[in-house]
Amino acid sequence: MIRRTARLRREYLYRKGLEGKEKVQYERKRALKKALEEGKPIPTELRGEAGALKSEIALEDEQTAEYGARSHVDDEYAKAGEVEPKVMLTTSRDPSSRLAQFAKELKLIFPNSQRINRGGLVLGEMVESARNNGFSDIVMVHEHRGEPDGLVVCHLPFGPTAYFGIVNTVLRHDIKDSAQLGKMKEIAPHLIMENFTTPLGERTANVLKHLFPTPKEESKRIITFANSKDYISFRHHVYSKPKGDSSVTLAEAGPRFELRLYQLRLGTMDSETAEVEWAIRPYMRSGKKQRLPL
């Protein structure tokens, strides 16, 4: 099993290494094909290899023509629509009662998740155990002086891993107006991804949305990730229609908190050599009106 995992990891890294070359070749063939279809002169930089490119284009079908357009992002979530996600939820070692309660509420947030006591497991053992047991993701929460302050989302088997800071955590049991709380249902929720418009924002939304399975039409749970000024607000609601479609009642189910992405790595959380895809730096775009490109 260890040899197989190592082999699959090498194959994934090899495909990722070829991505740049295949992308360039794909763009060249696309430019030549467009020029021929529109009856325009072949671009000067392609005239020397036009014959070889025409031969490759002639041998392509609908699937092989798009090989160069694929990226490592496609490989990471290639089976997302075929297999429902299975999430391992755990905490840092020796969690406080508040962090344990927060983990319990997250367990109800993610359908088909299992909460695992961390115990004395090191990261490498935990990731390998999750792989062997068919988990698609690991979600780990951290704390500082009893207050949740960090959340790590690691996609298996090869990554990526997103590191978030957590602020303004309000647990379900902390909400004052408990009479208005909605019931905590475990059916797959509908997702609202608000204001993830840049490439980094789309990448972050991709990591978050694949923690949830495809919802059924009759589901009355709504989970919102709303990005505003570098912070991603998480809200959880349930709705009902007491008088039919003409009236909709929305009730918060909790918990609620804000996330802030500070690092994205192309690998699993136990890999020390994983490439850093993006990381926040001190004084990065520190202008008063400038914000991170989420």
Side-chain angles (χ1 to χ4, degrees):
M1 183 61 70
I2 295 176
R3 289 181 179 179
R4 180 176 179 274
T5 302
R7 175 176 58 80
L8 292 174
R9 176 65 181 169
R10 286 197 301 271
E11 290 176 359
Y12 170 71
L13 292 175
Y14 175 72
R15 289 196 303 272
K16 191 165 75 71
L18 289 177
E19 182 181 323
K21 299 177 183 177
E22 292 180 349
K23 184 72 172 177
V24 172
Q25 189 72 353
Y26 170 75
E27 294 294 343
R28 286 174 174 270
K29 287 189 288 187
R30 191 174 68 171
L32 176 62
K33 190 175 181 180
K34 183 179 179 181
L36 293 174
E37 289 176 350
E38 296 178 356
K40 295 181 178 180
I42 296 174
T44 306
E45 66 273 12
L46 299 180
R47 289 177 183 173
E49 53 182 343
L53 291 176
K54 285 180 183 178
S55 300
E56 291 186 18
I57 293 172
L59 295 172
E60 289 176 345
D61 56 22
E62 293 181 359
Q63 293 183 346
T64 56
E66 298 299 322
Y67 278 170
R70 290 178 60 85
S71 70
H72 60 274
V73 177
D74 300 313
D75 288 336
E76 289 166 354
Y77 295 102
K79 297 183 179 180
E82 303 172 8
V83 182
E84 285 196 354
K86 184 180 177 183
V87 179
M88 175 192 281
L89 182 62
T90 187
T91 65
S92 53
R93 290 196 181 94
D94 193 22
S96 66
S97 58
R98 183 169 174 80
L99 185 66
Q101 180 62 36
F102 183 54
K104 287 180 182 178
E105 295 188 8
L106 286 181
K107 161 71 172 64
L108 299 176
I109 292 295
F110 301 113
N112 200 25
S113 63
Q114 294 182 23
R115 190 167 65 90
I116 307 296
N117 291 328
R118 174 74 180 274
L121 282 176
V122 297
L123 286 180
E125 295 173 349
M126 187 171 62
V127 172
E128 189 62 31
S129 174
R131 276 201 197 103
N132 295 339
N133 286 281
F135 286 97
S136 63
D137 297 89
I138 299 175
V139 175
M140 180 186 294
V141 287
H142 299 274
E143 66 181 338
H144 178 67
R145 295 185 178 181
E147 189 65 26
D149 74 332
L151 184 141
V152 182
V153 179
C154 175
H155 183 65
L156 299 176
F158 307 126
T161 302
Y163 296 83
F164 298 91
I166 301 180
V167 294
N168 302 331
T169 305
V170 179
L171 301 185
R172 176 178 168 86
H173 297 287
D174 294 338
I175 298 176
K176 295 180 180 179
D177 195 1
S178 57
Q180 300 297 324
L181 277 177
K183 292 183 179 179
M184 187 73 111
K185 301 179 180 180
E186 294 190 55
I187 190 172
H190 297 284
L191 299 180
I192 297 176
M193 294 289 181
E194 178 69 24
N195 201 24
F196 292 88
T197 54
T198 65
L200 178 61
E202 292 173 358
R203 180 75 159 139
T204 306
N206 214 30
V207 171
L208 294 172
K209 74 181 181 182
H210 283 110
L211 295 172
F212 300 89
T214 304
K216 295 183 179 179
E217 214 172 300
E218 61 269 20
S219 174
K220 295 186 178 180
R221 286 181 69 196
I222 302 171
I223 286 181
T224 305
F225 292 95
N227 174 47
S228 176
K229 299 180 180 179
D230 310 344
Y231 288 91
I232 303 169
S233 297
F234 173 90
R235 297 294 184 269
H236 180 206
H237 295 87
V238 294
Y239 73 90
S240 60
K241 299 179 180 179
K243 297 180 181 179
D245 294 338
S246 60
S247 66
V248 177
T249 302
L250 196 66
E252 185 175 8
R256 59 175 181 252
F257 50 86
E258 270 69 48
L259 298 171
R260 190 184 192 192
L261 179 71
Y262 64 86
Q263 191 176 86
L264 191 61
R265 297 173 69 93
L266 288 175
T268 52
M269 60 201 308
D270 62 326
S271 176
E272 297 179 357
T273 59
E275 179 185 347
V276 177
E277 182 176 352
W278 181 86
I280 191 171
R281 304 293 183 191
Y283 312 111
M284 178 185 280
R285 299 188 66 185
S286 56
K288 184 176 181 181
K289 294 185 179 180
Q290 290 178 332
R291 300 296 177 185
L292 298 181
L294 257 187

